[in-house]
Amino acid sequence: MFQDIEPYYGWLGYYSTETDPRSPFAAVEHNLFEYDRYVYTYAAHPLWDSIESESLLVKILYADYGRGYAILELLGEWNDLHENDFRLLCENCLTYLIDGGVRQFILVCENVFNAYPNTDDYYEALLDELGDTGWVCLLRARPHVLEEFVRYGLSPYLYWNPEFDGLRWRKLKPWQLYDVVAEGMQRLLLS
């Protein structure tokens, strides 16, 4: 199942984590002949990157340090109850990007199959670290995943909009996707 879900590779001509010295995955080697990434006990495609979580994998699809944004894709289960996934995502991935000047994140969540969020402490801390111009936008999250984020009161920290979910994001260049989402985020934050 998970081994068949590859991270999106259509933007490799524009960005690669392996060649980005600021990326937390710059030195990571991906063995395409061996499944060494897992979501729980299920083998995942080897191009995903580990944040030291048993339930969630990540791939940085694009980072623009000059404009201060990054687009990431997630795979698995967002589990703060048992794995503390958001803390691991922050500590083992987002912090590196933030140190490079990134303040706005688009998280593609169409391959996040369940969410078990917990308290808002790490979410609030990240938003504080991002400052007045920072945000985290979820793209194409499943309805039951969004319901969990609402139920746990995380909507002040994570943003989503059905308008964004309708985007055919793979048909866009990364900067085109960012421009559309950033414009929508500006309207959303001003309302």
Side-chain angles (χ1 to χ4, degrees), residues 48-90:
W48 291 98
D49 290 308
S50 172
I51 56 169
E52 304 302 321
S53 166
E54 289 186 28
S55 56
L56 190 67
L57 297 170
V58 65
K59 189 67 173 184
I60 301 171
L61 300 180
Y62 189 78
D64 185 326
Y65 298 101
R67 292 183 70 191
Y69 72 92
I71 303 169
L72 292 79
E73 187 175 10
L74 305 176
L75 171 72
E77 183 174 85
W78 188 311
N79 191 335
D80 290 337
L81 294 174
H82 299 292
E83 300 299 327
N84 219 342
D85 282 337
F86 192 72
R87 178 185 62 82
L88 293 172
L89 178 64
C90 289

Side-chain angles (χ1 to χ4, degrees), residues 3-15:
Q3 73 269 13
D4 296 328
I5 302 174
E6 297 179 22
Y8 180 63
Y9 52 84
W11 296 339
L12 282 176
Y14 309 118
Y15 176 84

Side-chain angles (χ1 to χ4, degrees), residues 19 21 37 59 75-76 102 107 110 113-114 121 126 155 181:
T19 60
R37 309 285 193 276
K59 189 67 173 184
L75 171 72
V102 172
L107 304 181
E110 61 194 4
F113 300 104
N114 289 301
D121 296 351
L126 176 66
S155 49
V181 171

